[in-house]
Amino acid sequence: EAMDTEVARVLVSTGLARRDGSGSLFYDPQASNTMIIVIGDNGTFGDVVKAPFDPSRAKSTPYQTGVWVPLLVAGPQVVQPDRDVPYMTNAVDVFGLFGELAGLDPQKAAAPRTIDSKPMMSYLRNPQQTGIRMFNFTQGGLNIQPQNGDNGPCVLGVSQSSTGSCSESPFDKSICEENGGV
């Protein structure tokens, strides 16, 4: 709800949307040449996951919902809005989308290294577009810190009736403690 409120506030304050007489948000993507992109980051630790989501599939599990996050795209280039694209993308593909929007091909642009970006524009323009990415790669660190420091695992959900679950995701003690761990 907070995100909905704040995104609406930004859209109205920038003139991309307006409130109608009932207070409902009215957004017409064809009214400007602005693309709106909202991407999620991270995920939720199992001890704070709420129904209908499954804590055994939360962040820091083999299912790693810290990698499986939302991506919302709206704007005049989106054909058939309000649809779900069930195929994988990667945050680097959003970088490529910005290039595509500017009329640049990120693969052919001068860059100091290869850009692992796949073209997303076809997902926006063609509702029947099939999957472009065959795989995504993610790697979790081992909590190795500067000067050979090692950040031990964070144990979440510790109580007298439970032993909790171990996580190697937090990068420092404060993040572990902020998520209710020790």
Side-chain angles (χ1 to χ4, degrees):
E1 288 178 37
M3 187 179 93
D4 289 348
T5 298
E6 293 306 314
V7 169
R9 184 183 61 78
V10 168
L11 293 176
V12 170
S13 68
T14 58
L16 293 172
R18 63 179 170 76
R19 298 273 183 196
D20 66 14
S22 70
S24 295
L25 186 70
F26 177 77
Y27 165 68
D28 177 7
Q30 301 305 319
S32 76
N33 67 349
T34 303
M35 182 69 80
I36 299 167
I37 300 171
V38 178
I39 186 169
D41 184 24
N42 297 319
T44 304
F45 285 113
D47 65 329
V48 293
V49 169
K50 305 290 184 225
F53 302 101
D54 181 354
S56 70
R57 293 180 178 248
K59 183 175 182 176
S60 297
T61 69
Y63 297 98
Q64 196 51 284
T65 56
V67 175
W68 178 39
V69 296
L71 170 65
L72 307 170
V73 180
Q77 296 86 348
V78 178
V79 173
Q80 193 181 328
D82 300 321
R83 64 185 164 91
D84 180 36
V85 175
Y87 305 109
M88 291 186 291
T89 59
N90 189 295
V92 72
D93 298 339
V94 176
F95 172 81
L97 178 60
F98 289 131
E100 289 178 287
L101 290 168
L104 302 171
D105 180 347
Q107 302 305 325
K108 294 180 181 173
R113 64 191 61 84
T114 302
I115 298 171
D116 184 29
S117 174
K118 299 293 183 190
M120 287 181 57
M121 189 64 79
S122 59
Y123 285 140
L124 307 181
R125 292 185 175 155
N126 178 7
Q128 284 73 45
Q129 175 65 50
T130 58
I132 295 169
R133 266 193 184 276
M134 298 300 290
F135 61 89
N136 263 327
F137 175 79
T138 183
Q139 179 177 356
L142 299 174
N143 288 332
I144 297 170
Q145 303 296 313
Q147 288 84 41
N148 296 320
D150 185 16
N151 201 26
C154 176
V155 180
L156 301 169
V158 176
S159 70
Q160 290 181 352
S161 62
S162 108
T163 58
S165 62
C166 211
S167 164
E168 290 190 26
S169 288
F171 296 108
D172 65 33
K173 184 178 178 179
S174 65
I175 293 173
C176 177
E177 291 171 347
E178 287 169 8
N179 283 280
V182 292

